[in-house]
Every structure is written in C-alpha cells, then in structure tokens.
C-alpha cells in the first residue's frame, strides 16, 4: 500500500537489508532511475550514517529507516537549511500525532524528547552553482525498539507503551514530509522558521555547551540563514556550524 501523496513514496523500493538507504538512493540517482519522491525503505541498515560521521544503530525490523529523493531546484544554496527545517517538522508532526507532544528537534537534525534521542535526519545535497539539484533525505526513527546500547535513546513504543504498525507510520511520515516540502516549495519560509523555533530543543534556555574546547554557558537564540546555531554567550551573539559546538546533555 502506497502513501496518499502526489509524488513522495509513489516510487518505492523496499530492501530487507542494505548498508545504507542514502547510499542506495544515491545509486538510483546515478543510474537516472529515480523520480522525485523516490523512497528507499529497509528493515535492516548495516552501515547507517549519522551526523558528524557517527554510525546509526537500530534493531532490525523494529524502526523506520528510509531515504527520500527530492529535487529542490527552487531553493538557493544559501537557503538550504530551510529544507532541514521542513524535514524536521514533518518528523515531529508524526511524533506529535503519536501523542509525543514534547518531542523536539535538537539542532541540527536529531529528534529528542526529554533529553533522550528518538531519531535522526541526514540530508545529503547535490548543489549546482546557484541552487540545490538533488537532496537525499535519510530518516531513522526509533519506533518499536525497547532496548538500546545507550541510556540516552528511546522509542515511540517505550514512551507510549504501544507497538505501532511500521507500514502505516511510514506512509504517514511520507504524507507529512510531502506536506512540509510543498510548504517549502511555496516559499513559506517565515512559517517554517517560526514553527521550527517553537520546537527547537533548549531554545532560549540557559545551558552548558562545549565551545572552543571549554565548557561555556549560553542560550540558544535562533538559527541563521546558513543554518548556523545562534547562541548568546555572556551577552555576545555567536554563530556556530555543525562541528563547532557540542551540547552537554
């Protein structure tokens, strides 16, 4: 059964096992076999990649692991973080529908709830001189897994006490992703940013970060157009790229 969408997930490849859904999607692009919205879903990913090159570990057959190919040629390179916002909001839309109202996005693209990780997003863009050409949206979301190798991870089932139907949730995620992507295509940037900041983990709260190798107090105040995290550090507004600041959880 395919999702109720115009294009996201209408071309769908299911692989029982693969190294990485993002890598499989990349191969489909190279072979010119993918239409926009093409989705690769797997039950077991053996070499999943996370932000900063971290491995993404998940119990086979218990979680959502997929990649979606989009063609946001309308989006200038300098505005590419709006795609991250749209995707993050789509995943949070799904989590909120599952009753997890306090799920948030931890910049740049992890899904958190009460200081525990629910999932992650990895977006790999192909860029021409002025705009994005292709984007591969990798999403890993803990759904029915109940035991983890670390105590900082959790799942929908662990939080709700209910086992979910993975196909139903996957289809719903693809529907919500298309909805948010169409908002992006309609240049609803202000709406997306407003909603993103409302669900941004530790937004406008005083916390300790690691900056320049030292523990430093600061307060997240926003995200700039380049996707850098804006932090008020002792009254000075500073902006940080993906690897320039670390949270202390």
């Amino acid at each position: 059964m395919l999702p109720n969408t115009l294009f996201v997930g209408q071309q769908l490849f299911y692989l029982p096992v693969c190294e990485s859904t993002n890598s499989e999607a990349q191969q489909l692009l190279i072979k010119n076999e993918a239409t926009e919205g093409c989705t690769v879903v797997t039950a077991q990913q053996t070499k999943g990649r996370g932000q900063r090159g971290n491995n993404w570990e998940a119990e086979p057959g218990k979680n959502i692991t997929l990649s979606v190919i989009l063609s946001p040629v309308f989006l200038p390179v300098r505005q590419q973080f709006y795609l991250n916002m749209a995707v993050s909001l789509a995943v949070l839309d799904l989590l909120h529908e599952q009753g997890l109202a306090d799920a948030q996005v931890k910049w740049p693209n992890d899904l958190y709830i009460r200081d525990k990780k629910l999932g992650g997003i990895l977006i790999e863009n192909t860029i021409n001189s002025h705009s994005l050409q292709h984007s591969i949206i990798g999403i890993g979301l803990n759904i029915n897994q109940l035991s983890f190798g670390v105590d900082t991870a959790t799942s929908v089932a662990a939080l709700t006490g209910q086992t979910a139907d993975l196909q139903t949730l996957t289809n719903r995620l693809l529907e919500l992703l298309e909805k948010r992507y169409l908002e992006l295509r309609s240049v609803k940037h202000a709406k997306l940013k407003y909603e993103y900041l409302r669900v941004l983990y530790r937004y406008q709260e005083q916390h300790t970060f690691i900056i320049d190798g030292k523990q430093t107090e600061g307060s997240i105040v926003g995200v700039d157009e380049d996707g850098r995290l804006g932090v008020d550090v002792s009254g000075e507004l500073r902006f940080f790229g993906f690897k320039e600041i670390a949270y202390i959880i």
Side-chain angles (χ1 to χ4, degrees), residues 24-89:
E24 294 288 343
Q26 183 66 49
Q27 287 303 309
L28 290 169
L29 274 177
I30 290 170
K31 296 173 185 175
N32 202 27
E33 294 177 356
T35 57
E36 184 170 31
C38 175
T39 301
V40 179
V41 180
T42 190
Q44 182 179 2
Q45 186 170 246
T46 59
K47 293 184 180 178
R49 303 192 305 282
Q51 196 63 42
R52 306 169 191 257
N54 297 331
N55 287 336
W56 175 255
E57 301 292 343
E59 190 177 337
K62 294 290 185 75
N63 306 301
I64 291 177
T65 307
L66 58 78
S67 295
V68 179
I69 298 171
L70 297 174
S71 304
V73 294
F74 54 85
L75 196 62
V77 171
R78 280 219 54 193
Q79 295 181 349
Q80 61 184 286
F81 197 74
Y82 282 104
L83 179 61
N84 291 60
M85 293 185 193
V87 174
S88 298
L89 287 170

Side-chain angles (χ1 to χ4, degrees), residues 193-227:
K193 187 165 187 179
Y194 172 74
E195 293 190 33
Y196 181 85
L197 291 178
R198 285 184 64 190
V199 293
L200 183 60
Y201 178 70
R202 294 187 173 177
Y203 179 55
Q204 294 183 331
E205 298 175 4
Q206 195 73 15
H207 283 280
T208 304
F209 300 88
I210 297 176
I211 299 171
D212 301 327
K214 297 179 294 187
Q215 290 195 14
T216 307
E217 291 292 312
S219 175
I220 295 171
V221 297
V223 178
D224 73 2
E225 189 122 298
D226 294 318

